[in-house]
């Protein structure tokens, strides 16, 4: 959109949707769609269970109602926002999805719904492969439960206590829980909230209808089963704030040849403890996949490991039992830029569902859609890169986002 400024430079409209901070990728993706197109938020028929409703709030006027393949958008997502956009992309690609049905009911104006509606996706500090942070915070991704008295349980108890004290308006108006407002009504809703406060039990947890399962490693593996779409340009920006832990010199490196990570002094105070825990976390059994190595996930920006930010990694599970599964790692090593569609796997060549290449080694004219181009490491933590830079990091953040916003435009011009 836009026009031109006084110097003849193209001006672009920028939209900043507001999504539920604790909602699932699916709910957030649907919310994003209807904020852009307009209409009543529809989460799909499969969502209406265990007290949740199918519909949310109504947006009388969308931010960009003409959105389609003839009027595509460039998307930028920080943290789990990047995976929310990927989830929306999958819904656009699936002709059986409820968004397709809604679009047809509304007349299907414009070009056919597809991933071509998204010109590019840029992720910043996104847990494309999940994060072990949810495990030590208290989420059991294998049994889909929250451990009682864990940090996650205490956070849920605080949220639900505020929900109760606000006469059950906090969830709807602040957290975007429109689809849970019916379940929280009346005395039944009070009992539901109290069960969550004291027992860490709620249909939202049972349904996996919140963000924590989605950002777990097992949740990310489910999302990564859908291959990267070949119509969209992908860029990922990788952040890190950790460094070798000073204690590792004597405690672990000499004995186990492992170096836990520690937050650097520049790390935001709220991210320091997360960085320290992620940088030395040892996953409890059962591990997400048999080839799991704790140290692969130690370099981090606070809550998200570097290992998770570059591009999606596929683990093909041959069995429903995690203890006896056979897994195939399709893209752990970066494939050659001239052979992006394939990757060597255990001596064989197979189709790579998520081809990737270093961004700094790729000219604009070489960049292809359907390939993840990941940046060199940006030395900022998870919070400073998005909302609260300090000192010299303010200028660093500005330079980063100028580069991020210019990149898709450079690719479009080169075409």
């Amino acid at each position: 959109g836009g026009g031109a400024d006084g110097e003849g430079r193209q001006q672009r409209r920028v939209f900043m949707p507001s999504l539920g901070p604790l909602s699932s990728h699916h709910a957030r993706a649907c919310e994003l769609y209807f904020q852009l197109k307009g209409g009543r938020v529809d989460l799909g028929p499969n969502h209406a269970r265990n007290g949740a409703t199918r519909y949310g709030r109504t947006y009388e006027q969308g931010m960009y109602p003409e959105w389609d393949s003839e009027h595509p958008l460039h998307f930028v997502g920080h943290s789990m926002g990047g995976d929310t956009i990927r989830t929306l992309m999958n819904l656009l690609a699936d002709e059986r999805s409820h968004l397709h049905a809604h679009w047809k009911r509304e007349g299907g104006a414009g070009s056919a719904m597809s991933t071509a509606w998204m010109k590019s996706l840029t992720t910043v500090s996104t847990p494309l492969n999940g994060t072990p942070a949810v495990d030590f915070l208290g989420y059991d991704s294998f049994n889909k439960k929250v451990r009682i008295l864990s940090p996650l349980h205490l956070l849920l108890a605080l949220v639900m206590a505020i929900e109760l004290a606000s006469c059950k308006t906090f969830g709807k108006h602040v957290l975007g829980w429109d689809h849970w407002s019916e379940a929280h009504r009346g005395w039944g809703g009070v009992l539901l909230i109290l069960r969550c406060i004291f027992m860490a039990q709620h249909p939202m947890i049972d349904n996996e209808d919140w963000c924590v399962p989605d950002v777990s490693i097992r949740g990310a593996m489910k999302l990564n089963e859908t291959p990267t779409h070949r119509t969209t340009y992908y860029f990922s920006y990788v952040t890190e704030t950790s460094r070798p832990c000073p204690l590792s010199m004597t405690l672990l490196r000499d004995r186990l040849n492992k170096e836990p990570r520690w937050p650097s002094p520049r790390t935001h105070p709220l991210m320091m403890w997360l960085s320290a825990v992620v940088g030395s976390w040892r996953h409890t059994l059962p591990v997400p996949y048999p080839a799991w190595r704790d140290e692969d996930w130690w370099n981090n920006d606070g809550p998200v490991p570097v290992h998770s930010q570059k591009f999606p990694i596929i683990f093909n599970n041959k069995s429903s039992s995690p203890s006896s599964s056979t897994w195939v790692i399709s893209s752990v090593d970066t494939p050659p830029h001239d052979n992006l569609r394939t990757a060597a796997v255990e001596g064989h060549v197979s189709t790579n569902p998520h081809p990737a290449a270093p961004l700094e080694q790729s000219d604009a004219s070489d960049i292809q859609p359907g390939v993840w181009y990941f940046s060199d490491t940006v030395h900022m933590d998870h919070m400073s890169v998005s909302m609260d830079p300090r000192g010299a990091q303010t200028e660093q953040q500005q330079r980063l986002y100028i580069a991020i916003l210019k990149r898709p435009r450079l690719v479009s011009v080169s075409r």
Side-chain angles (χ1 to χ4, degrees):
D5 63 11
E7 299 179 10
R9 292 175 298 195
Q10 182 75 20
Q11 295 292 293
R12 303 280 181 173
R13 281 185 286 174
V14 177
F15 308 110
M16 298 185 66
S18 177
L19 308 177
L22 298 181
S23 299
S24 66
H25 287 340
H26 176 84
R28 286 161 53 89
C30 297
E31 181 87 9
L32 175 57
Y33 175 84
F34 286 98
Q35 285 193 36
L36 291 171
K37 292 288 285 182
R40 187 182 184 188
V41 176
D42 181 358
L43 302 180
N46 295 332
H47 190 272
R49 56 194 175 98
N50 292 346
T53 58
R54 173 173 178 172
Y55 297 100
R57 67 188 62 183
T58 299
Y59 295 94
E60 299 293 345
Q61 178 63 42
M63 295 179 175
Y64 193 59
E66 62 268 35
W67 180 37
D68 59 17
S69 62
E70 299 298 322
H71 307 87
L73 290 170
H74 297 283
F75 285 78
V76 179
H78 169 257
S79 192
M80 70 177 184
D83 284 329
T84 295
I85 299 167
R86 292 174 63 206
T87 302
L88 175 55
M89 194 178 301
N90 292 343
L91 291 172
L92 296 180
D94 185 0
E95 295 183 355
R96 301 166 298 175
S97 76
H98 68 286
L99 291 187
H100 273 261
H102 176 273
W103 178 73
K104 291 175 181 177
R105 286 197 306 270
E106 295 297 312
S111 57
M113 179 179 284
S114 71
T115 55
W117 288 25
M118 294 188 178
K119 186 70 173 178
S120 72
L121 165 60
T122 301
T123 64
V124 182
S125 311
T126 293
L128 300 170
N129 301 303
T131 172
V134 298
D135 298 283
F136 71 75
L137 287 175
Y139 184 67
D140 181 351
S141 61
F142 183 65
N143 295 307
K144 304 174 184 178
K145 302 290 183 183
V146 174
R147 291 188 285 273
I148 293 179
L149 296 182
S150 65
L152 193 56
H153 177 206
L154 298 179
L155 175 61
L156 276 175
L158 175 62
V159 168
M160 289 299 178
I162 297 174
E163 170 79 339
L164 198 60
S166 66
C167 298
K168 293 172 281 189
T169 61
F170 176 73
K172 180 175 181 178
H173 297 296
V174 178
L175 300 181
W177 282 353
D178 300 68
H179 49 291
W180 285 110
S181 59
E182 289 292 330
H184 286 179
R185 285 187 177 181
W187 287 109
V190 171
L191 293 176
L192 198 65
I193 292 172
L194 291 176
R195 282 183 61 199
C196 188
I197 292 174
F198 293 106
M199 302 175 64
Q201 295 177 3
H202 193 280
M204 173 184 68
I205 300 173
D206 299 334
N207 293 359
E208 296 185 279
D209 188 24
W210 61 317
C211 63
V212 172
D214 288 337
V215 298
S216 71
I217 294 170
R218 288 188 175 92
M221 287 160 58
K222 292 179 184 177
L223 179 59
N224 293 347
E225 289 174 359
T226 302
T228 292
H229 299 285
R230 307 307 186 192
T231 56
T232 304
Y233 294 94
Y234 293 82
F235 307 97
S236 60
Y237 286 80
V238 181
T239 53
E240 181 183 8
T241 189
S242 60
R243 63 182 186 178
C245 176
L247 298 179
S248 67
M249 294 292 292
T250 56
L251 295 181
L252 285 175
R253 191 172 69 174
D254 294 340
R255 296 183 182 181
L256 303 177
N257 196 29
K258 296 180 180 179
E259 280 192 301
R261 310 297 286 182
W262 195 255
S264 72
R266 296 179 61 192
T267 305
H268 193 284
L270 294 178
M271 295 289 103
M272 279 192 170
W273 71 279
L274 280 171
S275 179
V277 178
V278 171
S280 59
W281 179 248
R282 297 184 178 280
H283 204 289
T284 55
L285 295 176
V287 295
Y289 53 90
W292 173 271
R293 296 194 312 166
D294 294 311
E295 58 269 27
D296 289 341
W297 300 80
W298 283 350
N299 290 348
N300 66 81
D301 70 352
V304 182
V306 171
H307 186 61
S308 189
Q309 298 180 43
K310 294 182 179 181
F311 53 90
I313 297 174
I314 289 290
F315 304 97
N316 293 322
N317 191 358
K318 303 296 185 180
S319 168
S320 59
S321 170
S323 60
S324 61
S325 300
T326 301
W327 303 73
V328 179
I329 303 175
S330 302
S331 58
V332 170
D333 296 320
T334 305
H337 191 274
D338 59 354
N339 192 24
L340 289 170
R341 301 299 178 195
T342 61
V345 182
E346 297 180 357
H348 300 84
V349 175
S350 65
T351 301
N352 182 7
H354 301 292
L359 177 59
E360 277 73 15
Q361 298 177 22
S362 307
D363 294 330
S365 58
D366 295 330
I367 290 178
Q368 309 169 27
V371 176
W372 284 89
Y373 292 92
F374 56 91
S375 74
D376 290 341
T377 300
V378 178
H379 294 286
M380 297 185 74
D381 63 73
H382 198 79
M383 179 173 285
S384 298
V385 78
S386 62
M387 65 181 85
D388 190 21
R390 297 173 301 147
Q393 289 185 330
T394 302
E395 184 179 349
Q396 184 182 9
Q397 185 200 65
Q398 292 174 349
R399 291 198 306 268
L400 173 64
Y401 280 96
I402 289 173
I404 287 173
L405 296 175
K406 278 185 176 180
R407 181 74 61 178
R409 197 179 305 181
L410 290 174
V411 170
S412 300
V413 171
S414 69
R415 297 299 182 271

